[in-house]
Amino acid sequence: MIHPALIKKQRILLLVFVSLIFLTVVISLGLGYSSLSYNRLLPTLFNQGTFEESFVLFSIRLPRIAITLLAGMALAVSGSILQGITRNDLADPGIIGINTGAGVAIACFFLFFPTEAGAFIYVLPVVAFLGALLTACFIYLFSYQKTTGLQPIRLILVGVGFSMALSGVMVVLISSAERQKVDFIANWLAGSIWGTDWPFVLAILPWLLLLIPFTLYKASRLNLLGLSDAVSIGVGVAIEKERLTLLLAAVALAASAVSVTGGIAFIGLMAPHLAKALIGPRHQLFLPLAILIGGWLLLVADTIGRNLVEPDGIPAGVMAALIGAPYFIYLLLRKI
């Protein structure tokens, strides 16, 4: 049973981060290469703005903000699952190569299987999922040992190795591609939020609507999987089945996010850690908070990045790495 004081604290923190997200959204709506003054936001929202104001708000700013929020939430949940099933606080879909696997699949599909733009948007998350799933399976197989089981540091090292190898594969793939296609893949690798239209929101939303409630439902199982295998089996948990199911959910969430945002790392690492630091390690408590923190962190990274350098800005993935890389090094040194 969760203490009522913790539930109250969680509700307060959820309200705080909802407020932070709302404030960041308002700030983000008024910033950008195409100006839209803050005193014109409300009239434009209620269809009382000029054509230019309506276009900037409804066709540029709002879909980008929605994509960024949803992708950050998906990455946060994916990271939380991976940290739970591997008992490894350093696990993150971007760090251990899952995002890179999705990227290679997307690059192959983009380069060798041309398709119509309308279908491309909705097929992309599926292609990314298949690439990420294959990568995750290989990482799991190479990390697992019959005598010692799944070793956290070994998982990180194998994942980083796969990430570097797949990055090399990506370079080979694009070395002879057309300039336009190379530019797209380069932007994807940098974590540039490229899916900035409403169809991309519709493409990623079903994955989140299905998998986030599923993960919240599995919160108690994630708590048990964080214990030793012997204890988990003793309380009746089918370890391998639960790990596989949750791994599929983590891979699908990460793939759906990066398919429309590009290769973004560290959000799935930082959001669960910050949530645990604020409310504790129980998944029932920190998962809802991590979801909000993940969305907020990526939104902040994108808002800062796209306004630092005009007109193209700095990719959100680069901004997230600038914040997350030192934190990852700190956690790694603390583990060794």
Side-chain angles (χ1 to χ4, degrees), residues 38-105:
Y38 290 106
N39 62 347
R40 296 297 302 163
L41 284 179
L42 281 178
T44 307
L45 276 172
F46 290 101
N47 292 322
Q48 295 177 4
T50 65
F51 173 80
E52 181 183 353
E53 289 171 338
S54 297
F55 179 80
V56 169
L57 183 63
F58 292 108
S59 299
I60 299 176
R61 300 276 166 79
L62 280 176
R64 185 183 184 111
I65 288 170
I67 280 289
T68 306
L69 275 173
L70 292 173
M73 291 175 177
L75 291 170
V77 179
S78 179
S80 299
I81 294 172
L82 290 173
Q83 290 172 21
I85 64 177
T86 63
R87 306 189 193 108
N88 187 349
D89 289 339
L90 302 176
D92 169 79
I95 296 170
I96 66 174
I98 292 175
N99 288 0
T100 315
V104 170

Side-chain angles (χ1 to χ4, degrees), residues 13-290:
L13 288 169
L14 289 173
L15 182 61
V16 167
F17 278 98
V18 167
S19 302
L20 283 173
I21 289 173
F22 177 77
L23 179 62
T24 308
V25 167
V26 172
I27 293 171
S28 185
L29 285 174
L31 294 176
Y33 182 68
S34 301
S35 61
L36 180 64
S37 59
Y38 290 106
N39 62 347
R40 296 297 302 163
L41 284 179
L42 281 178
T44 307
L45 276 172
F46 290 101
N47 292 322
Q48 295 177 4
T50 65
F51 173 80
E52 181 183 353
E53 289 171 338
S54 297
F55 179 80
V56 169
L57 183 63
F58 292 108
S59 299
I60 299 176
R61 300 276 166 79
L62 280 176
R64 185 183 184 111
I65 288 170
I67 280 289
T68 306
L69 275 173
L70 292 173
M73 291 175 177
L75 291 170
V77 179
S78 179
S80 299
I81 294 172
L82 290 173
Q83 290 172 21
I85 64 177
T86 63
R87 306 189 193 108
N88 187 349
D89 289 339
L90 302 176
D92 169 79
I95 296 170
I96 66 174
I98 292 175
N99 288 0
T100 315
V104 170
I106 289 172
C108 290
F109 181 71
F110 184 66
L111 293 173
F112 305 117
F113 300 96
T115 185
E116 295 180 3
F120 180 78
I121 294 170
Y122 298 100
V123 172
L124 209 59
V126 178
V127 172
F129 170 70
L130 293 175
L133 178 62
L134 186 62
T135 305
C137 290
F138 276 113
I139 292 170
Y140 189 89
L141 287 173
F142 278 91
S143 303
Y144 188 84
Q145 291 180 314
K146 289 183 179 180
T147 54
T148 57
L150 195 66
Q151 296 297 310
I153 296 298
R154 182 180 175 85
L155 176 75
I156 290 295
L157 294 175
V158 170
V160 171
F162 264 91
S163 182
M164 294 176 66
L166 289 169
S167 296
V169 172
M170 188 83 78
V171 172
V172 172
L173 285 172
I174 66 176
S175 60
S176 59
E178 300 172 12
R179 177 62 184 272
Q180 185 180 3
K181 292 183 176 182
V182 170
D183 289 343
F184 168 80
I185 296 172
N187 286 331
W188 190 96
L189 288 171
S192 177
I193 309 292
W194 69 275
T196 55
D197 295 323
W198 290 113
F200 290 96
V201 177
L202 297 177
I204 186 178
L205 191 58
W207 296 74
L208 273 69
L209 291 177
L210 176 66
L211 294 171
I212 287 181
F214 172 77
T215 306
L216 293 173
Y217 171 73
K218 289 287 187 178
S220 59
R221 293 296 186 190
L222 281 166
N223 290 333
L224 295 173
L225 289 172
L227 305 173
S228 67
D229 285 357
V231 173
S232 299
I233 293 171
V235 296
V237 177
I239 292 179
E240 295 306 322
K241 179 184 175 182
E242 294 291 347
R243 276 182 180 159
L244 180 60
T245 305
L246 288 163
L247 178 64
L248 288 173
V251 168
L253 284 164
S256 65
V258 301
S259 66
V260 293
T261 62
I264 293 176
F266 298 109
I267 296 296
L269 174 74
M270 292 187 292
H273 276 276
L274 292 173
K276 289 175 190 175
L278 290 170
I279 199 65
R282 296 184 69 166
H283 286 78
Q284 292 95 327
L285 291 172
F286 85 78
L287 264 175
L289 194 57

